[in-house]
Amino acid sequence: MKESKGFIIESIFQDAYQLEKISLSRDKHCKIIDIGANVGVFAIAARNNFLHATIHCYEPNVKIEKYLKNQAYAVGAKYFIEAVGLKNGY
């Protein structure tokens, strides 16, 4: 549990995704796509940095949908329980 807290704190509050390096205005509307969203930690970090962004999260693992659903709801993101690839089924 302690490791999970550290990961979340580092990812969101210590900018592990280096979102602060993106040269977009924090007030500008943009679109963010999170492919392989897992439980939605990146979506939280993205919302923290881009308040007016449209965020879409894609994650094919149905077993973690309840977690992704909660994070997506909390930050106003849309989530899809599906994979992204060139061919159906891959």
Side-chain angles (χ1 to χ4, degrees):
M1 184 67 160
K2 185 177 180 180
E3 291 175 3
S4 295
K5 285 182 183 179
F7 170 75
I8 292 170
I9 290 169
E10 180 181 329
S11 298
I12 298 169
F13 301 110
Q14 295 176 355
D15 198 28
Y17 296 112
Q18 299 186 9
L19 295 172
E20 292 177 7
K21 290 184 178 181
I22 297 173
S23 61
L24 285 176
S25 169
R26 300 304 183 232
D27 295 328
K28 186 175 181 173
H29 183 82
C30 61
K31 294 180 183 176
I32 298 171
I33 299 172
D34 182 4
I35 298 174
N38 199 280
V39 298
V41 174
F42 177 78
I44 297 169
R47 174 61 69 217
N48 193 43
N49 281 274
F50 300 98
L51 300 177
H52 304 290
T54 298
I55 303 171
H56 288 182
C57 304
Y58 293 86
E59 173 55 54
N61 186 348
V62 297
K63 293 180 180 179
I64 59 175
E65 179 180 7
K66 66 181 181 179
Y67 305 106
L68 177 56
K69 180 180 181 179
N70 287 338
Q71 310 316 356
Y73 177 78
V75 298
K78 243 183 138 171
Y79 77 93
F80 305 87
I81 299 299
E82 53 190 63
V84 176
L86 295 175
K87 297 179 184 179
N88 285 340
Y90 293 94

